Amino acid sequence: MLDYSQIQNEHLRELLIHSESINAQDEINAQAVINNIAALGPVQQQEVIQMLEEEQKQIQSSKIAKGITPDVEVAAIEKNRGKLTEIKHEYDTNVRKYEEGKTQKQDEAAAEDLLNQLNN
Amino acid sequence: MKTFQKNFTIQTKRLVYFYGEAQQKGNIEKAEAYRKENDPKKVAELKKRYGGERSEELVKCDLSKKNPDPYLAEQAQKTEKRIKDETVEPDKLEGKYLNAEQVNDNMRKLYKILGKDWDQVKADEAKKAEEDKAAKEKKAEEDKAKAQPAAPEVDPNAPLKFSEIKRIATDSIDKKMDENTKEAVDAVIKELESKIVGKEFKKIDDVKTAIQVAINNMDQKYLMALAGKDMKFSAGNYTFDFKFLNAPGSKDQKYGIQEVNATAIKKVDVSPGAPKEANPDDKGKPGEGNGKPGESKEVTEIRSKVETALKGMYEQYSKMSKEELIKNGDDNKLKLAQDLGLSLKQIEVGLSADLAKLDQSYKIDQLLPNTDTTYFNKNGINVQSFGNFIENLYKEKNIESKEGKDTPNALQYVLQFEGKANEVGAKYDNKDYVAQKGITTYEDFVKNYEADVKSAVATIDKKYVDKIEWNKLPDTVLQNSLYRPVHFQMGKDKPPVIFINEAASRTMWDVAHPPKLKEEPKPKDQKPEEPKEEQPDPNKMKKLPTKTMEAAINKGFENSFDSAFNNDPFAIGTAIKIQLQKLPMTEQYLIPTTYMTPQGFKLEMLHYGPTMKVRVEGITEGVARKYVQKWETQPEPTAQANEKKWSKVLCVDVYGKEKPKPEGWLKTAKSAAAEKEKNGGGPPKPGEAGAKSPDVKPGKPGFEASPGAEESPTEKEVRGKVETSVKKVFDQFSNMSKEDLIKNGFDDRFTLLHAIALNVKTEEKTLMPDLAKLDKTLSKVNIVPGVDATFNKGGICLEKPAAWISDLYKKLGVVEKGPEDRANAFKYTQEFTTKMIALNEKYSSKDFLAKEGIKSYEDFAKKYNQELTTYMGTVDKTKIEWANLPGNTLVYPNYSYASFRLEKDKPVVITVNEGGMRTLWDKANTPKTDEEKAKEDAPDNVDKAKARVEEESKAIFKKYTDLSAKDLVAKGFDNKIKLSDAIMADFKAADVKLLPELKDIKKSYSFKINNDVSIWFNQYGVRPVGMDKFMDGLYKDKKVKNIDTEKGQTPNARKAIDTIMSTMRDTSKKCTDQLGVSKTITTFGEYYKFMTDEITKSVKGLDPKTYEGVEWDKLPDNMIRTPYTAYAEVTKTKDGKEPDLKFNMAYLKGMWDSYNQPGVKKTEFTDLDEAKISKEKADSQPDSPETTEKAKGKVDEEMKALFKKYNDMTPDQIIAGKLDNRTLLVSAIMEDIKGVEGRLQFDLANLNVSHITDIIKDVPVQFNKYGVRPTGLAEWVKKFYKDKKIEDKESKDTPNTRKAEDTISKTIKTINDKYTNSTRADLQKQGILNFDDYYKKYCADLKTSVDALGTGIFDKVEWDKLPGNTFKSPYTYFAEVSRTKDNKDLTYNYNKGMIKMSWDYLT
């Protein structure tokens, strides 16, 4: 996993995380590049930002060329998100039902006790 | 009680549950609103959020797994597994969108910023990798040597038991071995060990299944870590390999492996290092020469070169990844075969000098496993098939071939063609068949073979042709691979053009005709014998009576000298032939005659008669053949009587070496020299009879601007070939009738250009071996009238065929089909050519190369391509009429410097033409001659002059733009004629001032001074161009009416001026059209005389009625005076005198510099400005009602849905969604609007101007190409809350946010007011000529003003109440300004749609 923590500029950090060119390098090289960028002064970092913004434009244009519009991307994310929600929901439901069952048993037991007490 | 209590509990829980449901529903709606959002930036945010949610869930599960309650722990574990299995990590959602080249370029830039050299780093890495590889291979060799000999033969059905398994390194794993991969690899090996080591399997297939099952049952995390990677290991006598699926791309989205390959390890060589004994059988078949033993050293060297080159070619493809192959389109067998064929041809060109030395075909049995037998001979390299290689490559890379999927019928035709060609090939492969046909020479063999192929191919059923999917073929051309024995290319409605692959036919011939036993070498002084078939038997011939012959031939020469082409051997030959034909001809006569033409061609007439033969030396084969064709196909009228007898009267032979020739009675070289000597004329001049051949020095590398006197024999030969070939191409079209041109669609300039380009490319292919011999660029002006060409080892580059086309149309009276239905496609093409011309100027400069540090041709071509591609990427293609283009694709043919291919929604693909690129490269690398230098201006001088001209011109225009409407009227300038007179008088005065400063300027320059006017200047003065537009603009800005026509003050004078102007324009156009073909006008002086004569003639020749009714007394000086902006100031007085013309030398010089071939010079900034202006003009055209309606329909639909969503909300939903806050509600609507804009981007892209729709009551919605903007939202929100009975919490929750928003909005409004209150003239003064300028300036101003507000306005913003804790000013206004609490920098999201609206309002 690459460590971006030394990059202070949030925008730059975002761009680096999404840089395909850097991610295409092996991990050691990529990390070295990131470290080097972190050591740059603000003016040079600005140059890096410009370069990485250009790269993002290249990526965007390539995506559009492949028919991957933001819609398509959103759909892909949503599909996974939907699946995640479904799994989560199922888990929550199971847990809720289980806990409800447990509570219900406790309630019933408590009610039973109460009734017994009242009857007695 | 019990029941009540129970029900109560359940009820309560249900309530709680439903409440939760409602809350969840609100969230879902919010998510839904978010989902519709289309902004690409937001996609990243959404993904980030999804990633966050996913890891949050995983963390939760991880914690719950430790829950003491076993049920909950189990649930957590199961859920964790499901999340990992069924959802994708956010990073895996992202594909790879940049190609290797882009990545490299980006890294190069990045490294540059870091102060490092990326290429060097890569080179070092590659070197290290190479060394590592070598070390690895060495080790493997050593291990192999140590290995036990002779592993037993492997039986696929024998029981198997493995004692161990051993992983083999693979690039995909070992190159990127991180911790996760390492862990996964170890786990896989461990798993496999446990599943196969020590176990017994009945057959190898069982082992494969066991491996597959074992791996697919492993923990998903290992399979994911290895996704897309290859793994290999050995066990026993087998190696096993498999590839891990990359789930998002795999069929059922699963990780794991699909199949396992098992390869038996072959027997190892028992005696490593022992010298190989020659195999006695390994001598090769006669003629094939594959026998390495006994092969000459030279052949072995050539063999090695061929093998190395071929290996390189195969390896290049083997090393490519699946993705790269797919990207290149090589996942199509036909395309891959075509590419391999091209590579093969390149190798042939590279090795042509070596191959030429071969006297037979040599065989390479199997260069690499899976490659086919290959032959090489003097004609090239003949690979029998690429089929095996391709099959294997596809198998290795797991590629499914796409061939024929889109083009099944095209494929059918190829198969039919090759089937027919193969049938013929099979016959010609049979020695007996060849002998039976009486073929004794290779040349006859090829000729017959080609003829038979042509006949066979002609029998292909038409149905195969009819169904070809032309539009899906690259350049609508169908062709098979170049490596095939017969290659063809076919265009729509055209027969196939057939090329015999001589490497293959030579192989056929050589195999059937092995060389005879070596003959004893002849004594050196013995002259080589003439080939028998070329030498008629003199004994069977009679000598023609000399005197009769002499008279006829002399007459022929005389006539030829009288003709316009007296230097042309063809003309001479024709003239002679005509005379000879007049003689009685019944037998063959021997007429040993030589003649040296003034150009240095040696013409030798060997004999004549029914098979007259003339030998010409110094003329290229192509030229000669052309003459033969002409003579054969166009018998002169005088020959009519003897037509039959003379149907084949001439055979032209060409040879380059000096051969002994019989002395004739005509002037020979020797006799001519002797004669000259006798007359005291000194040594003969080049080209004169007896002159020494000038072609003794080899050409220097570089650019040869014109055929020089010092051309080497090779260059001369290549030049001849190129000239013949290119002329042939053009002749093909110029020989067409008008009807044929139209029938073929050639009345469309682009179709014709395509056809020319295609034909030239075909010729280029044939000429490549010759062109490869050139080490510099040669050029030919007027290769056909009006067309120039350059050629070099990269190919041929044509210049200016447009003029030739115009001339052709004119000659034949063809009405050119204009691009009416493709006007925008044409505009795009124009942008391309304009930029290309600008780049050519730049790239042919040595200074530019030095500045950019370009050292190699490859970098040069790449950079040119990149720059052109980048520029074209910015050109608007949204309006291109795709439906009217063949294949919905716009293609610019590759005949000059570059071509492009553009498909809708795809980036433009630019291919440079190597012929053109090398021309520029050679130009840039050729030192300038003093003459050239003398013709150039020093940039400093031009800048200085431009500054002065600009200063003076600006002052003149300012004088008039500063005048108020009242002043204009008072001075009589509300009459255009008077106004233009006054301005031109100022320019004449400026000339007086400026001429001394301009006298040293050698070329003409122009620049745009304002929206309408360009200023031209040169040594003759300064002229504004576009004055009419300027005056129109001035009148419009000042709201002044032009009374010369509108108020009828001088309408007839205006009419007369317009007539004179258009007469001059027409005449100029006619003259300019002739320039391209005229050889006589080569200097400005000649041009000036030509133009002024013609214009004078035409203006003076105007019908006197032109001046009828002219309002003489209302004109300054009572005379007509045309503006001195163009060709001439024409004055005409009332009396009957002829008009007087005072020519505008500065303008004509500008015209000459622009039109004339040498010295075209326009500054680049002008071109760009002009392009921008014309683009802007096109962009301001009103939209058609259809376009508007279509876009409006879409906007209406989206807006209705959007507002319905909010209107349908219940108060609870509004509150749950936190929309009971005006700021947040507007923000949510605007986020939705962004989504709408994303969805409508293609529907809106065609709009030129802004429109409005009132589909939503009280909320007019404006839209244009940049977006959609509702207005009056504030009122709508108020009404919305009122209707829903909701209290706006803004003042309670986010009052300070609102304040900050208001401050920003107010500031933005001030800026907008500043702009919208400006006039066009104000903006022009600021350098704002079009919307792009406006947008740039507007945004910069806006940012400066808002930044100046300081961070104080955000101090009290209620960050925690804002979505994403982010402040955003509403996107309803010209920019959305945002920031977070921690990051104080403001982010601007400019609203181009709104800014365009304000520009549209202004203009």
Side-chain angles (χ1 to χ4, degrees), chain B residues 895-961:
Chain B
Y895 66 85
S896 56
Y897 297 90
S899 65
F900 72 75
R901 182 179 179 81
L902 181 70
E903 288 175 59
K904 195 180 178 186
D905 303 336
K906 283 191 186 166
V908 61
V909 179
I910 287 175
T911 311
V912 290
N913 176 13
E914 203 186 334
M917 281 304 105
R918 283 202 182 272
T919 300
L920 298 175
W921 172 248
D922 285 351
K923 250 186 199 176
N925 284 303
T926 305
K928 280 176 188 158
T929 61
D930 289 344
E931 198 187 340
E932 278 167 339
K933 276 185 204 158
K935 278 184 192 166
E936 285 194 353
D937 288 312
D940 284 354
N941 287 349
V942 178
D943 288 346
K944 224 164 96 187
K946 188 203 158 215
R948 282 289 294 123
V949 171
E950 195 170 3
E951 186 189 349
E952 292 291 337
S953 308
K954 272 191 173 161
I956 293 174
F957 284 107
K958 191 171 179 302
K959 187 173 144 188
Y960 294 91
T961 49

Side-chain angles (χ1 to χ4, degrees), chain B residues 234-245:
Chain B
S234 67
N237 291 317
Y238 284 90
T239 56
F240 298 89
D241 60 284
F242 40 84
K243 192 180 174 79
F244 286 88
L245 296 174

